[in-house]
Amino acid sequence: MYSLLPYNTFGIDVSAARFLEYTSVEELKKLIVQGAVTTPFLHIGGGSNLLFTKDYDGLILHSRIEGIEVTEEDAHSVSVRVGAGVVWDDFVAYCVEHGWYGAENLSLIPGEVGASAVQNIGAYGVEVKDLITAVETVNIQAEERVYSVEECGYTYRNSIFKRPYVRFRLSKEEHYTLDYGTIRQELEKYPSLTLSVVRKVIIAIRESKLPDPKVMGNAGSFFMNPIVPKEKLEALQQEYPRIPYYELADGRVKIPAGWMIDQCGWKGKALGPAAVHDKQALVLVNRGGAKGSDIIALSDAVRASVREKFGIDIHPEVNFIN
């Protein structure tokens, strides 16, 4: 058995029957052809969006493919090919250091580049699908295929890969996404607006709300923000006139799940060793010694409260691994 404690940010002490890492596409294809990749198997990144409910009786695969390679560049933009095993925030820092615009609002999101393309990570008004141009894959028959961003089926926190290189295009022309949350308010503390300043602000905001998984096990935002018809929002506004929301292009609205959880009185409350974070109700934490079942029990209780109070189902963003 191979301990998965270092490979999940919830800090759940579980093991896998087998564990394999590879450092190149060629090595992965060789493992597949030789029959080393047996079922059941699960491919993971940094384990920042996984909740293991018990030991995994199968193979865990993990990419160690590194590297950031510029493939095209002109006066306006730059295209880069990034290894799936690159730590996501290291890539963001690299972009900022090189004056490439677009990824800075995604600073400090845990995980790896490969998983960013699977999950369509997003924060502060930016989703990674807006930067991705293509995703290079290897299937279980050891066949390579490149998916264009149009083929990836990206929606809110979803893609066709919710099933090892990712290609991005960044801008070399100055532009920012600032009209989200308290970004502009925090920027007033700085004398000028630069990429590095925006990155500092995003990191400061995230650190003020989200616990460090190295200190307290968590997977960041545990629930997705529900998207509902505008009529549902208008009905809720009769009882909750100050309910926050974000309008979407298709006429529907997104309601912050964290606000609803807070209104249900869950912020800072615990069920055994699992708790709702006292600074951000969207985050469930492992206070020490929690099992996957403890986190799920808390999740179910929170969801039931939101459903009863608001008539809205909220769904976990985290993937449960049974």
mmCIF file of all heavy atoms in Angstrom, residues 271-313:
data_model
loop_
_atom_site.group_PDB
_atom_site.id
_atom_site.type_symbol
_atom_site.label_atom_id
_atom_site.label_comp_id
_atom_site.label_asym_id
_atom_site.label_seq_id
_atom_site.Cartn_x
_atom_site.Cartn_y
_atom_site.Cartn_z
ATOM 1 N N LEU A 271 -19.025 19.368 12.789
ATOM 2 C CA LEU A 271 -19.604 18.072 13.098
ATOM 3 C C LEU A 271 -18.424 17.146 13.322
ATOM 4 O O LEU A 271 -17.793 16.692 12.374
ATOM 5 C CB LEU A 271 -20.476 17.559 11.945
ATOM 6 C CG LEU A 271 -21.854 18.203 11.735
ATOM 7 C CD1 LEU A 271 -22.562 17.525 10.572
ATOM 8 C CD2 LEU A 271 -22.696 18.122 12.998
ATOM 9 N N GLY A 272 -18.094 16.906 14.574
ATOM 10 C CA GLY A 272 -16.909 16.107 14.857
ATOM 11 C C GLY A 272 -15.656 16.809 14.385
ATOM 12 O O GLY A 272 -15.495 18.026 14.572
ATOM 13 N N PRO A 273 -14.739 16.077 13.730
ATOM 14 C CA PRO A 273 -13.479 16.681 13.288
ATOM 15 C C PRO A 273 -13.588 17.474 11.993
ATOM 16 O O PRO A 273 -12.605 18.062 11.529
ATOM 17 C CB PRO A 273 -12.564 15.470 13.092
ATOM 18 C CG PRO A 273 -13.499 14.352 12.741
ATOM 19 C CD PRO A 273 -14.766 14.616 13.494
ATOM 20 N N ALA A 274 -14.760 17.517 11.374
ATOM 21 C CA ALA A 274 -14.974 18.277 10.152
ATOM 22 C C ALA A 274 -15.733 19.557 10.491
ATOM 23 O O ALA A 274 -16.635 19.552 11.332
ATOM 24 C CB ALA A 274 -15.759 17.460 9.131
ATOM 25 N N ALA A 275 -15.350 20.671 9.834
ATOM 26 C CA ALA A 275 -15.968 21.951 10.172
ATOM 27 C C ALA A 275 -16.103 22.836 8.946
ATOM 28 O O ALA A 275 -15.423 22.642 7.931
ATOM 29 C CB ALA A 275 -15.149 22.670 11.246
ATOM 30 N N VAL A 276 -16.994 23.821 9.057
ATOM 31 C CA VAL A 276 -17.087 24.889 8.076
ATOM 32 C C VAL A 276 -16.118 25.975 8.524
ATOM 33 O O VAL A 276 -16.134 26.371 9.696
ATOM 34 C CB VAL A 276 -18.519 25.447 7.978
ATOM 35 C CG1 VAL A 276 -18.591 26.599 6.980
ATOM 36 C CG2 VAL A 276 -19.491 24.340 7.576
ATOM 37 N N HIS A 277 -15.276 26.445 7.637
ATOM 38 C CA HIS A 277 -14.252 27.425 7.995
ATOM 39 C C HIS A 277 -14.890 28.682 8.571
ATOM 40 O O HIS A 277 -15.944 29.125 8.124
ATOM 41 C CB HIS A 277 -13.422 27.766 6.753
ATOM 42 C CG HIS A 277 -12.201 28.573 7.053
ATOM 43 N ND1 HIS A 277 -11.352 28.303 8.091
ATOM 44 C CD2 HIS A 277 -11.684 29.669 6.420
ATOM 45 C CE1 HIS A 277 -10.356 29.171 8.090
ATOM 46 N NE2 HIS A 277 -10.552 30.017 7.099
ATOM 47 N N ASP A 278 -14.233 29.250 9.593
ATOM 48 C CA ASP A 278 -14.824 30.400 10.278
ATOM 49 C C ASP A 278 -14.674 31.716 9.517
ATOM 50 O O ASP A 278 -15.291 32.721 9.887
ATOM 51 C CB ASP A 278 -14.231 30.548 11.692
ATOM 52 C CG ASP A 278 -12.716 30.707 11.688
ATOM 53 O OD1 ASP A 278 -12.113 30.731 10.596
ATOM 54 O OD2 ASP A 278 -12.132 30.805 12.780
ATOM 55 N N LYS A 279 -13.884 31.727 8.429
ATOM 56 C CA LYS A 279 -13.730 32.943 7.638
ATOM 57 C C LYS A 279 -14.400 32.854 6.272
ATOM 58 O O LYS A 279 -14.675 33.887 5.665
ATOM 59 C CB LYS A 279 -12.240 33.261 7.449
ATOM 60 C CG LYS A 279 -11.538 33.661 8.738
ATOM 61 C CD LYS A 279 -10.085 34.027 8.459
ATOM 62 C CE LYS A 279 -9.385 34.446 9.746
ATOM 63 N NZ LYS A 279 -7.950 34.783 9.501
ATOM 64 N N GLN A 280 -14.622 31.659 5.778
ATOM 65 C CA GLN A 280 -15.209 31.474 4.455
ATOM 66 C C GLN A 280 -16.092 30.229 4.500
ATOM 67 O O GLN A 280 -15.608 29.106 4.570
ATOM 68 C CB GLN A 280 -14.112 31.330 3.402
ATOM 69 C CG GLN A 280 -14.563 30.928 2.010
ATOM 70 C CD GLN A 280 -15.665 31.802 1.446
ATOM 71 O OE1 GLN A 280 -16.845 31.523 1.658
ATOM 72 N NE2 GLN A 280 -15.280 32.843 0.723
ATOM 73 N N ALA A 281 -17.413 30.456 4.452
ATOM 74 C CA ALA A 281 -18.357 29.352 4.617
ATOM 75 C C ALA A 281 -18.354 28.379 3.449
ATOM 76 O O ALA A 281 -18.933 27.300 3.543
ATOM 77 C CB ALA A 281 -19.766 29.906 4.825
ATOM 78 N N LEU A 282 -17.715 28.744 2.349
ATOM 79 C CA LEU A 282 -17.652 27.864 1.183
ATOM 80 C C LEU A 282 -16.621 26.751 1.372
ATOM 81 O O LEU A 282 -16.563 25.809 0.590
ATOM 82 C CB LEU A 282 -17.296 28.693 -0.053
ATOM 83 C CG LEU A 282 -17.660 28.139 -1.432
ATOM 84 C CD1 LEU A 282 -19.133 27.857 -1.542
ATOM 85 C CD2 LEU A 282 -17.213 29.119 -2.518
ATOM 86 N N VAL A 283 -15.821 26.856 2.424
ATOM 87 C CA VAL A 283 -14.702 25.936 2.645
ATOM 88 C C VAL A 283 -14.997 25.000 3.810
ATOM 89 O O VAL A 283 -15.338 25.443 4.908
ATOM 90 C CB VAL A 283 -13.411 26.732 2.936
ATOM 91 C CG1 VAL A 283 -12.250 25.787 3.223
ATOM 92 C CG2 VAL A 283 -13.066 27.642 1.758
ATOM 93 N N LEU A 284 -14.890 23.692 3.564
ATOM 94 C CA LEU A 284 -14.961 22.705 4.623
ATOM 95 C C LEU A 284 -13.541 22.293 4.989
ATOM 96 O O LEU A 284 -12.685 22.159 4.111
ATOM 97 C CB LEU A 284 -15.764 21.478 4.177
ATOM 98 C CG LEU A 284 -17.197 21.728 3.680
ATOM 99 C CD1 LEU A 284 -17.926 20.397 3.491
ATOM 100 C CD2 LEU A 284 -17.966 22.649 4.605
ATOM 101 N N VAL A 285 -13.288 22.083 6.285
ATOM 102 C CA VAL A 285 -11.927 21.816 6.740
ATOM 103 C C VAL A 285 -11.863 20.554 7.593
ATOM 104 O O VAL A 285 -12.846 20.138 8.218
ATOM 105 C CB VAL A 285 -11.358 23.008 7.542
ATOM 106 C CG1 VAL A 285 -11.285 24.260 6.673
ATOM 107 C CG2 VAL A 285 -12.181 23.278 8.795
ATOM 108 N N ASN A 286 -10.679 19.967 7.587
ATOM 109 C CA ASN A 286 -10.345 18.834 8.441
ATOM 110 C C ASN A 286 -9.616 19.396 9.657
ATOM 111 O O ASN A 286 -8.481 19.837 9.556
ATOM 112 C CB ASN A 286 -9.454 17.855 7.667
ATOM 113 C CG ASN A 286 -8.976 16.690 8.522
ATOM 114 O OD1 ASN A 286 -9.317 16.580 9.703
ATOM 115 N ND2 ASN A 286 -8.167 15.824 7.923
ATOM 116 N N ARG A 287 -10.278 19.405 10.816
ATOM 117 C CA ARG A 287 -9.664 19.975 12.021
ATOM 118 C C ARG A 287 -8.629 19.042 12.633
ATOM 119 O O ARG A 287 -7.945 19.400 13.581
ATOM 120 C CB ARG A 287 -10.734 20.294 13.067
ATOM 121 C CG ARG A 287 -11.754 21.330 12.586
ATOM 122 C CD ARG A 287 -12.549 21.886 13.743
ATOM 123 N NE ARG A 287 -13.221 20.832 14.518
ATOM 124 C CZ ARG A 287 -13.920 21.056 15.625
ATOM 125 N NH1 ARG A 287 -14.032 22.279 16.091
ATOM 126 N NH2 ARG A 287 -14.502 20.053 16.260
ATOM 127 N N GLY A 288 -8.508 17.848 12.071
ATOM 128 C CA GLY A 288 -7.534 16.888 12.560
ATOM 129 C C GLY A 288 -8.145 15.520 12.737
ATOM 130 O O GLY A 288 -9.093 15.358 13.503
ATOM 131 N N GLY A 289 -7.645 14.560 11.954
ATOM 132 C CA GLY A 289 -8.110 13.191 12.099
ATOM 133 C C GLY A 289 -9.412 12.866 11.400
ATOM 134 O O GLY A 289 -9.973 11.780 11.602
ATOM 135 N N ALA A 290 -9.920 13.776 10.591
ATOM 136 C CA ALA A 290 -11.193 13.516 9.908
ATOM 137 C C ALA A 290 -11.023 12.449 8.833
ATOM 138 O O ALA A 290 -9.991 12.353 8.179
ATOM 139 C CB ALA A 290 -11.732 14.794 9.281
ATOM 140 N N LYS A 291 -12.058 11.663 8.660
ATOM 141 C CA LYS A 291 -12.136 10.714 7.563
ATOM 142 C C LYS A 291 -12.988 11.322 6.457
ATOM 143 O O LYS A 291 -13.702 12.300 6.676
ATOM 144 C CB LYS A 291 -12.748 9.394 8.041
ATOM 145 C CG LYS A 291 -11.951 8.682 9.122
ATOM 146 C CD LYS A 291 -12.665 7.414 9.567
ATOM 147 C CE LYS A 291 -11.878 6.701 10.658
ATOM 148 N NZ LYS A 291 -12.581 5.473 11.140
ATOM 149 N N GLY A 292 -12.917 10.713 5.274
ATOM 150 C CA GLY A 292 -13.734 11.202 4.186
ATOM 151 C C GLY A 292 -15.211 11.201 4.545
ATOM 152 O O GLY A 292 -15.954 12.113 4.172
ATOM 153 N N SER A 293 -15.637 10.195 5.302
ATOM 154 C CA SER A 293 -17.041 10.095 5.686
ATOM 155 C C SER A 293 -17.458 11.255 6.585
ATOM 156 O O SER A 293 -18.622 11.688 6.567
ATOM 157 C CB SER A 293 -17.309 8.762 6.395
ATOM 158 O OG SER A 293 -16.449 8.607 7.521
ATOM 159 N N ASP A 294 -16.526 11.780 7.390
ATOM 160 C CA ASP A 294 -16.833 12.930 8.239
ATOM 161 C C ASP A 294 -17.094 14.175 7.399
ATOM 162 O O ASP A 294 -18.017 14.954 7.679
ATOM 163 C CB ASP A 294 -15.678 13.208 9.208
ATOM 164 C CG ASP A 294 -15.434 12.073 10.188
ATOM 165 O OD1 ASP A 294 -16.426 11.524 10.707
ATOM 166 O OD2 ASP A 294 -14.263 11.745 10.432
ATOM 167 N N ILE A 295 -16.275 14.373 6.371
ATOM 168 C CA ILE A 295 -16.446 15.532 5.492
ATOM 169 C C ILE A 295 -17.767 15.410 4.728
ATOM 170 O O ILE A 295 -18.509 16.389 4.572
ATOM 171 C CB ILE A 295 -15.272 15.653 4.500
ATOM 172 C CG1 ILE A 295 -13.919 15.691 5.238
ATOM 173 C CG2 ILE A 295 -15.444 16.876 3.616
ATOM 174 C CD1 ILE A 295 -13.698 16.896 6.099
ATOM 175 N N ILE A 296 -18.082 14.205 4.258
ATOM 176 C CA ILE A 296 -19.323 13.997 3.510
ATOM 177 C C ILE A 296 -20.537 14.231 4.403
ATOM 178 O O ILE A 296 -21.531 14.826 3.966
ATOM 179 C CB ILE A 296 -19.355 12.578 2.909
ATOM 180 C CG1 ILE A 296 -18.302 12.465 1.797
ATOM 181 C CG2 ILE A 296 -20.738 12.260 2.355
ATOM 182 C CD1 ILE A 296 -18.173 11.080 1.219
ATOM 183 N N ALA A 297 -20.475 13.782 5.662
ATOM 184 C CA ALA A 297 -21.597 13.989 6.584
ATOM 185 C C ALA A 297 -21.846 15.488 6.792
ATOM 186 O O ALA A 297 -23.002 15.936 6.813
ATOM 187 C CB ALA A 297 -21.310 13.305 7.919
ATOM 188 N N LEU A 298 -20.775 16.249 6.935
ATOM 189 C CA LEU A 298 -20.916 17.698 7.084
ATOM 190 C C LEU A 298 -21.472 18.313 5.805
ATOM 191 O O LEU A 298 -22.367 19.167 5.846
ATOM 192 C CB LEU A 298 -19.564 18.319 7.432
ATOM 193 C CG LEU A 298 -19.528 19.846 7.531
ATOM 194 C CD1 LEU A 298 -20.494 20.350 8.601
ATOM 195 C CD2 LEU A 298 -18.102 20.332 7.820
ATOM 196 N N SER A 299 -20.955 17.871 4.668
ATOM 197 C CA SER A 299 -21.431 18.367 3.376
ATOM 198 C C SER A 299 -22.928 18.117 3.215
ATOM 199 O O SER A 299 -23.687 19.010 2.807
ATOM 200 C CB SER A 299 -20.665 17.681 2.235
ATOM 201 O OG SER A 299 -21.270 17.916 0.982
ATOM 202 N N ASP A 300 -23.375 16.923 3.560
ATOM 203 C CA ASP A 300 -24.790 16.580 3.433
ATOM 204 C C ASP A 300 -25.654 17.457 4.334
ATOM 205 O O ASP A 300 -26.745 17.895 3.941
ATOM 206 C CB ASP A 300 -25.007 15.109 3.775
ATOM 207 C CG ASP A 300 -24.461 14.161 2.714
ATOM 208 O OD1 ASP A 300 -24.175 14.638 1.604
ATOM 209 O OD2 ASP A 300 -24.313 12.958 3.010
ATOM 210 N N ALA A 301 -25.167 17.715 5.545
ATOM 211 C CA ALA A 301 -25.927 18.536 6.485
ATOM 212 C C ALA A 301 -26.034 19.977 6.000
ATOM 213 O O ALA A 301 -27.095 20.602 6.097
ATOM 214 C CB ALA A 301 -25.275 18.490 7.868
ATOM 215 N N VAL A 302 -24.932 20.512 5.462
ATOM 216 C CA VAL A 302 -24.930 21.875 4.932
ATOM 217 C C VAL A 302 -25.879 21.974 3.745
ATOM 218 O O VAL A 302 -26.682 22.913 3.634
ATOM 219 C CB VAL A 302 -23.502 22.298 4.539
ATOM 220 C CG1 VAL A 302 -23.520 23.590 3.732
ATOM 221 C CG2 VAL A 302 -22.628 22.458 5.780
ATOM 222 N N ARG A 303 -25.802 21.009 2.846
ATOM 223 C CA ARG A 303 -26.657 21.023 1.659
ATOM 224 C C ARG A 303 -28.133 20.964 2.039
ATOM 225 O O ARG A 303 -28.976 21.650 1.435
ATOM 226 C CB ARG A 303 -26.301 19.848 0.750
ATOM 227 C CG ARG A 303 -24.912 19.930 0.128
ATOM 228 C CD ARG A 303 -24.615 18.716 -0.725
ATOM 229 N NE ARG A 303 -25.460 18.681 -1.909
ATOM 230 C CZ ARG A 303 -25.541 17.635 -2.724
ATOM 231 N NH1 ARG A 303 -24.841 16.537 -2.467
ATOM 232 N NH2 ARG A 303 -26.322 17.684 -3.783
ATOM 233 N N ALA A 304 -28.453 20.154 3.044
ATOM 234 C CA ALA A 304 -29.844 20.031 3.491
ATOM 235 C C ALA A 304 -30.350 21.361 4.045
ATOM 236 O O ALA A 304 -31.506 21.749 3.808
ATOM 237 C CB ALA A 304 -29.963 18.929 4.541
ATOM 238 N N SER A 305 -29.498 22.071 4.776
ATOM 239 C CA SER A 305 -29.892 23.362 5.345
ATOM 240 C C SER A 305 -30.178 24.380 4.253
ATOM 241 O O SER A 305 -31.176 25.116 4.317
ATOM 242 C CB SER A 305 -28.793 23.895 6.267
ATOM 243 O OG SER A 305 -28.657 23.099 7.423
ATOM 244 N N VAL A 306 -29.298 24.443 3.250
ATOM 245 C CA VAL A 306 -29.477 25.388 2.152
ATOM 246 C C VAL A 306 -30.738 25.053 1.360
ATOM 247 O O VAL A 306 -31.508 25.946 0.974
ATOM 248 C CB VAL A 306 -28.233 25.399 1.239
ATOM 249 C CG1 VAL A 306 -28.487 26.222 -0.028
ATOM 250 C CG2 VAL A 306 -27.024 25.945 1.986
ATOM 251 N N ARG A 307 -30.962 23.766 1.132
ATOM 252 C CA ARG A 307 -32.152 23.334 0.391
ATOM 253 C C ARG A 307 -33.439 23.723 1.138
ATOM 254 O O ARG A 307 -34.408 24.204 0.537
ATOM 255 C CB ARG A 307 -32.101 21.821 0.180
ATOM 256 C CG ARG A 307 -33.160 21.273 -0.765
ATOM 257 C CD ARG A 307 -33.068 19.765 -0.889
ATOM 258 N NE ARG A 307 -31.738 19.320 -1.287
ATOM 259 C CZ ARG A 307 -30.925 18.610 -0.494
ATOM 260 N NH1 ARG A 307 -31.305 18.257 0.717
ATOM 261 N NH2 ARG A 307 -29.742 18.251 -0.924
ATOM 262 N N GLU A 308 -33.413 23.540 2.456
ATOM 263 C CA GLU A 308 -34.599 23.848 3.260
ATOM 264 C C GLU A 308 -34.867 25.351 3.319
ATOM 265 O O GLU A 308 -36.019 25.795 3.224
ATOM 266 C CB GLU A 308 -34.425 23.300 4.680
ATOM 267 C CG GLU A 308 -35.612 23.566 5.588
ATOM 268 C CD GLU A 308 -35.415 22.997 6.987
ATOM 269 O OE1 GLU A 308 -34.376 22.336 7.232
ATOM 270 O OE2 GLU A 308 -36.292 23.216 7.841
ATOM 271 N N LYS A 309 -33.812 26.152 3.450
ATOM 272 C CA LYS A 309 -33.977 27.592 3.634
ATOM 273 C C LYS A 309 -34.223 28.336 2.330
ATOM 274 O O LYS A 309 -35.028 29.272 2.262
ATOM 275 C CB LYS A 309 -32.741 28.179 4.336
ATOM 276 C CG LYS A 309 -32.887 29.630 4.789
ATOM 277 C CD LYS A 309 -31.652 30.076 5.546
ATOM 278 C CE LYS A 309 -31.821 31.481 6.111
ATOM 279 N NZ LYS A 309 -32.810 31.541 7.215
ATOM 280 N N PHE A 310 -33.528 27.926 1.252
ATOM 281 C CA PHE A 310 -33.589 28.678 -0.002
ATOM 282 C C PHE A 310 -34.232 27.916 -1.160
ATOM 283 O O PHE A 310 -34.465 28.499 -2.220
ATOM 284 C CB PHE A 310 -32.174 29.111 -0.412
ATOM 285 C CG PHE A 310 -31.529 30.069 0.540
ATOM 286 C CD1 PHE A 310 -30.609 29.609 1.477
ATOM 287 C CD2 PHE A 310 -31.833 31.418 0.518
ATOM 288 C CE1 PHE A 310 -30.009 30.487 2.369
ATOM 289 C CE2 PHE A 310 -31.244 32.303 1.401
ATOM 290 C CZ PHE A 310 -30.328 31.838 2.338
ATOM 291 N N GLY A 311 -34.468 26.626 -0.976
ATOM 292 C CA GLY A 311 -35.033 25.846 -2.077
ATOM 293 C C GLY A 311 -34.069 25.660 -3.227
ATOM 294 O O GLY A 311 -34.485 25.516 -4.377
ATOM 295 N N ILE A 312 -32.791 25.661 -2.922
ATOM 296 C CA ILE A 312 -31.747 25.525 -3.946
ATOM 297 C C ILE A 312 -30.818 24.378 -3.566
ATOM 298 O O ILE A 312 -30.390 24.262 -2.407
ATOM 299 C CB ILE A 312 -30.914 26.822 -4.085
ATOM 300 C CG1 ILE A 312 -31.790 27.949 -4.669
ATOM 301 C CG2 ILE A 312 -29.682 26.612 -4.960
ATOM 302 C CD1 ILE A 312 -31.079 29.286 -4.772
ATOM 303 N N ASP A 313 -30.517 23.525 -4.521
ATOM 304 C CA ASP A 313 -29.534 22.457 -4.311
ATOM 305 C C ASP A 313 -28.149 22.983 -4.647
ATOM 306 O O ASP A 313 -27.942 23.514 -5.745
ATOM 307 C CB ASP A 313 -29.855 21.259 -5.199
ATOM 308 C CG ASP A 313 -31.007 20.422 -4.667
ATOM 309 O OD1 ASP A 313 -31.041 20.173 -3.449
ATOM 310 O OD2 ASP A 313 -31.875 20.038 -5.468
#
